Amino acid sequence: MEATGEHENEATDHRRWRHTLSRHFSSRRTTRLRPSTEARFDTLVRSCLAAGPPADVCADLAYPLAAGVIFDLLGLPEELRRAMTEWSGMVREPGRAREAVRLRSRLRDDVDSILRRIRRQPHDITSDDSLLAGLALARTGSEDLRDEEHADAILDVFLAGFDTVAARMVYGTFFLLARPSQWNALCQDVSLVPGTVEEILRLAVPGGGWIPRYAQADIPVSGTSIKAGELVVLSFQSANRDEAVFRDASVFDIRRDPNPHIAFGHGKYYCLGAALARLELSVFLTGLARFSRLQVAGGLAEEPEVAHQKVTGGLNRLLVTWETNREEPQRR
């Protein structure tokens, strides 16, 4: 597929997008989200423990956590959250493109209206640390997104930072429970959490893990040649399972070191939300260890309910059970 000058415009737009948003995803700012993220997940865990088994990791833990974090980060009002979640599902389901476009247009207008209101009445949100307020009140230069592009940026960040993180939480849970020795080791040693996060990011890729890039020069590959300007689609699932890079690449190993995966891309396209995703997964795994003798309900012989209706895959449901005849383990 030959590209015209369109990819140059895309590169310019990406630079402006990244320049505008990068200040809102600094490591320091992400670190400040840990207490509220832990508190949110603590509430979810306590609710499950109080209700008793079984619980659905998707509906009861992973998706509510990921949604709450990204909604709070963006600063979206409660009345938009249900529609935003619905839109995220539409985008990932074949045959619903027209519905998704219509709903996105409506949501964009709603978000833009909020941004305009903030600009008119900035004194009402001076203590708000959300992305919505940050974009609305920022002084924009020639390298920044224009005011009329901010609503699209909000929607893009939501789409990139919600389902993708939640799906990895669910798959990561399944990977761990399918390997009891690794799950038990993690429960007993919190220092294994960071490595577990990285291995989940490497292997627990629900689907849709392809990256479009334009060749900047002629590149010889396996007896053929990719011409400068051509569009190339790369698979990071394949890269993250490269036996030339990862020993026993198909094996899930929470102690893998080094682990140079490219789950967040590479170079100038490296994911802005990488630190936030790692934070969420870390909080999720630490909280999950509070369930005594956690296991997949029905045993591992039962196939998980794969989300075949979504082009990005994932699981529709993952029921788990745990031991209830002892006191809840103390948080580590």
Side-chain angles (χ1 to χ4, degrees):
M1 176 180 176
E2 292 288 346
T4 64
E6 183 178 348
H7 67 278
E8 295 177 1
N9 293 332
E10 291 177 1
T12 300
D13 288 343
H14 177 265
R15 281 196 299 271
R16 294 191 305 111
W17 187 90
R18 195 174 189 90
H19 184 266
T20 302
L21 295 175
S22 59
R23 71 198 72 163
H24 301 283
F25 287 91
S26 66
S27 295
R28 185 172 64 176
R29 186 166 188 171
T30 300
T31 300
R32 292 206 303 267
L33 293 173
R34 179 174 283 277
S36 61
T37 304
E38 290 176 337
R40 182 182 300 280
F41 197 52
D42 177 71
T43 299
L44 295 170
V45 169
R46 286 180 179 276
S47 178
C48 287
L49 290 170
D56 180 3
V57 176
C58 295
D60 298 328
L61 295 169
Y63 279 84
L65 175 63
V69 171
I70 194 68
F71 282 137
D72 285 351
L73 174 73
L74 296 177
L76 289 166
E78 289 290 340
E79 59 266 24
L80 288 185
R81 298 187 177 193
R82 182 173 180 178
M84 291 284 285
T85 304
E86 183 181 359
W87 169 62
S88 174
M90 283 182 183
V91 169
R92 292 171 167 82
E93 293 184 25
R96 303 193 71 184
R98 290 186 178 179
E99 289 179 87
V101 169
R102 286 195 295 268
L103 184 51
R104 179 186 173 109
S105 178
R106 194 190 88 197
L107 288 168
R108 187 200 177 283
D109 289 344
D110 289 340
V111 173
D112 189 59
S113 177
I114 296 170
L115 287 163
R116 291 174 183 272
R117 186 168 66 246
I118 292 173
R119 293 183 190 113
R120 290 195 305 268
Q121 302 172 312
H123 57 278
D124 290 345
I125 48 85
T126 52
S127 62
D128 195 328
D129 198 31
S130 70
L131 180 59
L132 198 66
L135 289 178
L137 301 179
R139 293 184 177 181
T140 57
S142 59
E143 292 298 311
D144 292 299
L145 293 174
R146 298 180 293 274
D147 287 353
E148 61 269 24
E149 296 174 302
H150 288 169
D152 284 320
I154 292 286
L155 296 180
D156 290 343
V157 169
F158 169 75
L159 198 63
F162 167 49
D163 192 281
T164 51
V165 179
R168 281 167 171 77
M169 292 176 186
V170 180
Y171 261 139
T173 302
F174 182 76
F175 277 26
L176 283 163
L177 297 185
R179 297 158 180 82
S181 63
Q182 295 196 49
W183 169 243
N184 292 334
L186 178 65
C187 290
Q188 294 166 16
D189 185 359
V190 72
S191 70
L192 293 174
V193 168
T196 305
V197 168
E198 298 309 313
E199 189 69 341
I200 289 172
L201 290 168
R202 183 180 78 89
L203 278 186
V205 181
W210 48 267
I211 309 172
R213 293 288 183 264
Y214 290 100
Q216 299 297 303
D218 292 349
I219 306 172
V221 178
S222 301
T224 187
S225 179
I226 298 171
K227 301 298 183 183
E230 287 185 330
L231 176 64
V232 182
V233 179
L234 310 172
S235 168
F236 55 73
Q237 290 106 321
S238 178
N240 284 341
R241 291 164 173 77
D242 188 347
E243 291 286 350
V245 178
F246 303 96
R247 184 176 181 179
D248 298 324
S250 62
V251 175
F252 182 83
D253 181 6
I254 64 175
R255 294 183 174 87
R256 184 178 298 277
D257 184 30
N259 193 347
H261 64 78
I262 57 168
F264 295 116
H266 180 70
K268 63 183 180 181
Y269 289 97
Y270 190 78
C271 177
L272 283 176
L276 180 60
R278 286 186 168 107
L279 168 66
E280 291 180 68
L281 281 164
S282 173
V283 169
F284 177 81
L285 290 173
T286 304
L288 203 64
R290 292 167 57 188
F291 292 92
S292 178
R293 299 185 184 277
L294 190 70
Q295 57 186 323
V296 176
L300 293 171
E302 209 170 291
E303 289 291 322
E305 191 175 318
V306 178
H308 294 297
Q309 81 280 8
K310 292 176 10 180
V311 295
T312 50
L315 300 180
N316 280 328
R317 188 171 69 159
L318 180 62
L319 293 181
V320 293
T321 187
W322 60 91
E323 188 176 86
T324 59
N325 61 352
R326 64 172 64 180
E327 292 184 4
E328 176 192 348
Q330 294 297 312
R331 298 184 68 182
R332 292 168 173 80

